């Protein structure tokens, strides 16, 4: 402890241990107000940590929180849409992908994901529209998905002809 912290030579007798050290905190420079303030701060920070951990409980709760805090980020809405898609909440996913595209018209993943969800709910004309945009703007690393999109669109037309 720093000089003047309330300890005098020989003030901790053998056997006093921790109690003697705690008593020192409530005397001199380390008074009851300071210790109380530290304990309150510790309690508040613990509560905030507990609350934040609840946000990380599921991917959905994490991305919903991110969307509230960063509503102008395209990636956040795309990822929230992915969570909804995994839970088969296709219309909620569609809304999020549309938000993602409105915020960033070059978000190729959002176009692809939007097409998938529109296809899942049977809106094939709209799915084709977004698949076409994806196909035209996607860079080469998406060639596998582009091939998949072509096959999907071809299957839409083959279903209409039959």
């Amino acid at each position: 402890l720093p000089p003047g912290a309330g300890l005098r030579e020989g003030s901790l007798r053998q056997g006093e241990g921790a109690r003697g050290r705690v008593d020192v905190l409530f005397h001199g420079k380390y008074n009851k107000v300071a210790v109380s303030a530290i304990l309150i701060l510790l309690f508040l920070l613990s509560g905030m940590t507990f609350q934040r951990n609840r946000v990380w409980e599921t991917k959905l709760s994490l991305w919903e929180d991110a969307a509230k805090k960063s509503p102008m980020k395209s990636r956040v809405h795309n990822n929230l849409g992915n969570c909804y898609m995994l839970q088969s909440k296709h219309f909620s996913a569609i809304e999020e992908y549309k938000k993602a595209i409105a915020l960033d018209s070059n978000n190729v993943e959002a176009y692809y994901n939007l097409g998938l969800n529109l296809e899942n709910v049977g809106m094939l004309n709209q799915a084709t529209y977004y698949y076409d945009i994806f196909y035209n703007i996607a860079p080469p690393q998406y060639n596998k998905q582009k091939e998949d999109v072509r096959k999907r669109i071809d299957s839409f037309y083959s279903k209409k002809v039959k």
Side-chain angles (χ1 to χ4, degrees), residues 37-57:
I38 290 170
L39 291 174
I40 289 170
L41 180 63
L42 190 62
F43 178 76
L44 290 173
L45 291 174
S46 297
M48 291 168 60
T49 300
F50 179 75
Q51 281 296 105
R52 193 68 192 146
N53 285 342
R54 294 177 94 191
V55 168
W56 285 79
E57 200 168 301

Side-chain angles (χ1 to χ4, degrees), residues 105-119:
S105 61
N106 293 314
N107 186 337
V108 294
E109 292 177 10
Y111 285 107
Y112 181 77
N113 294 333
L114 180 54
L116 284 174
N117 278 273
L118 289 166
E119 180 182 350

Side-chain angles (χ1 to χ4, degrees), residues 20-160:
R21 280 183 237 123
V22 170
D23 287 343
V24 168
L25 291 176
F26 291 102
H27 293 67
K29 288 185 181 178
Y30 298 102
N31 59 32
K32 292 179 182 179
V33 174
V35 172
S36 297
I38 290 170
L39 291 174
I40 289 170
L41 180 63
L42 190 62
F43 178 76
L44 290 173
L45 291 174
S46 297
M48 291 168 60
T49 300
F50 179 75
Q51 281 296 105
R52 193 68 192 146
N53 285 342
R54 294 177 94 191
V55 168
W56 285 79
E57 200 168 301
T58 66
K59 288 180 182 182
L60 179 61
S61 62
L62 175 67
W63 288 111
E64 285 177 334
D65 183 65
K68 287 176 192 166
K69 292 178 178 166
S70 300
M72 301 307 290
K73 291 189 178 179
S74 179
R75 186 188 319 175
V76 169
H77 291 286
N78 185 66
N79 291 343
L80 179 55
N82 290 342
C83 291
Y84 288 138
M85 179 175 66
L86 290 171
Q87 294 183 346
S88 298
K89 296 178 179 178
H90 299 293
F91 291 102
S92 295
I94 289 167
E95 276 184 49
E96 294 303 321
Y97 295 133
K98 286 183 176 182
K99 288 177 189 176
I101 291 167
L103 292 168
D104 179 4
S105 61
N106 293 314
N107 186 337
V108 294
E109 292 177 10
Y111 285 107
Y112 181 77
N113 294 333
L114 180 54
L116 284 174
N117 278 273
L118 289 166
E119 180 182 350
N120 285 335
V121 297
M123 303 170 110
L124 302 182
N125 288 338
Q126 288 183 45
T128 301
Y129 173 78
Y130 289 104
Y131 279 150
D132 280 338
I133 294 172
F134 167 79
Y135 189 85
N136 290 320
I137 69 169
Q141 69 253 33
Y142 291 94
N143 283 342
K144 183 180 177 189
Q145 289 88 349
K146 289 170 92 169
E147 184 180 318
D148 179 55
V149 161
R150 275 294 131 220
K151 289 178 184 175
R152 288 173 177 279
I153 292 172
D154 289 345
S155 75
F156 297 166
Y157 291 115
S158 68
K159 287 177 187 175
K160 287 181 182 179

